[in-house]
Amino acid sequence: MQLKLEIALATVVTLFVSADACGQTLYSFDTTEDFFAPATNWSAWQDTLDRHQSEREVIHQCLSDETTCTRRLKGLRHVLLKGADLDVEQQIRLVNRYVNRHRYKDDRVSSRSAAGNQWETLTEFLDHGGDCEDFAVAKYFVLRELGVDAEDMRIVIGRESQRATHHAMLAIRFDEDVWLLENDNTIHRNGYQDIKRFVYAINEQGIWDHERTD
């Protein structure tokens, strides 16, 4: 009787663990077979990268001379100067909080449409705010200015579990794990997120298609 009870309890625990795991999806940087193409193959995204690159001169001028800063860039200047003296974990937390203070505009599209049609540069985001992918892109750009390698970061798009919409976050490979930065200041430090599935990811180097079946 005792053995049967122990088996029954173990089965119940397993079911609860499995049910919990079903709501979480793991993101990994190690799925090399998901690499789809260089970033240059997506013209809209490459255009954003090019525009940001041209705007970096204004950002760097602001860093060297505060009198040249716009009101929005003064906040960025403070973060970049403060972040330069921090370790990587502190930089990640600082940038996540800083970007998340900006205005959120919910213009996400349904899963039946193309996600992420519009991409903002960092200065455009600071001026106007944006939706989830713009928050993720802004964090990417700020952390790049602080010296985090492009190969260790991706803007990741996933399909949400509860709604037929897409959601974006920044994934960072750090401390032998993957951190997922959300726009509510949440950081998932184990690579798991409450996402039905990950769809694709981008950085300035490439595009990863996480729904490929071939």
Side-chain angles (χ1 to χ4, degrees):
M1 176 65 70
Q2 181 65 29
L3 179 59
K4 290 182 179 180
L5 179 61
E6 290 176 355
I7 292 174
L9 288 173
T11 301
V12 170
V13 170
T14 301
L15 287 173
F16 274 108
V17 170
S18 299
D20 181 65
C22 286
Q24 299 285 306
T25 303
L26 175 66
Y27 189 81
S28 173
F29 278 69
D30 298 327
T31 52
T32 55
E33 68 276 8
D34 289 350
F35 182 79
F36 180 69
T40 52
N41 281 34
W42 190 353
S43 59
W45 171 236
Q46 186 60 47
D47 176 66
T48 303
L49 292 173
D50 292 342
R51 296 198 325 274
H52 172 71
Q53 187 62 33
S54 67
E55 294 168 2
R56 292 184 68 214
E57 181 178 348
V58 176
I59 295 173
H60 291 172
Q61 185 177 10
C62 172
L63 283 174
S64 60
D65 182 1
E66 187 176 3
T67 63
T68 67
C69 299
T70 64
R71 181 174 65 89
R72 297 289 188 186
L73 287 182
K74 285 182 179 179
L76 176 64
R77 181 180 191 271
H78 174 74
V79 168
L80 292 177
L81 292 178
K82 179 180 180 179
D85 296 325
L86 302 178
D87 61 36
V88 177
E89 178 173 350
Q90 292 173 318
Q91 289 177 339
I92 292 171
R93 295 187 181 280
L94 172 66
V95 171
N96 197 45
R97 292 194 303 270
Y98 165 68
V99 171
N100 288 342
R101 291 204 304 264
H102 289 79
R103 187 160 63 99
Y104 185 89
K105 298 186 300 183
D106 190 355
D107 61 357
R108 285 178 293 176
V109 295
S110 76
S111 61
R112 292 177 293 276
S113 305
N117 288 326
Q118 301 295 324
W119 303 95
E120 293 184 341
T121 65
L122 177 56
T123 57
E124 290 168 351
F125 173 81
L126 296 180
D127 286 339
H128 308 297
D131 65 3
C132 55
E133 73 258 20
D134 300 313
F135 275 72
V137 171
K139 294 170 190 179
Y140 176 92
F141 284 145
V142 177
L143 286 168
R144 287 291 288 126
E145 292 295 333
L146 288 172
V148 179
D149 290 337
E151 65 182 15
D152 290 326
M153 295 192 293
R154 295 177 191 171
I155 295 101
V156 183
I157 311 298
R159 183 178 178 185
E160 293 185 313
S161 300
Q162 302 301 319
R163 296 187 293 174
T165 56
H166 289 88
H167 179 58
M169 66 213 80
L170 181 65
I172 303 175
R173 180 165 49 193
F174 174 68
D175 198 22
E176 299 183 354
D177 215 330
V178 175
W179 287 24
L180 298 173
L181 276 57
E182 285 284 5
N183 52 31
D184 62 355
N185 287 333
T186 302
I187 298 178
H188 300 274
R189 299 179 58 171
N190 59 3
Y192 280 95
Q193 173 58 299
D194 186 16
I195 281 288
K196 185 174 184 179
R197 66 177 181 272
F198 293 107
V199 181
Y200 68 91
I202 53 174
N203 64 15
E204 64 200 80
Q205 298 173 335
I207 306 165
W208 287 261
D209 182 355
H210 298 308
E211 291 193 310
R212 296 180 69 181
T213 58
D214 56 0

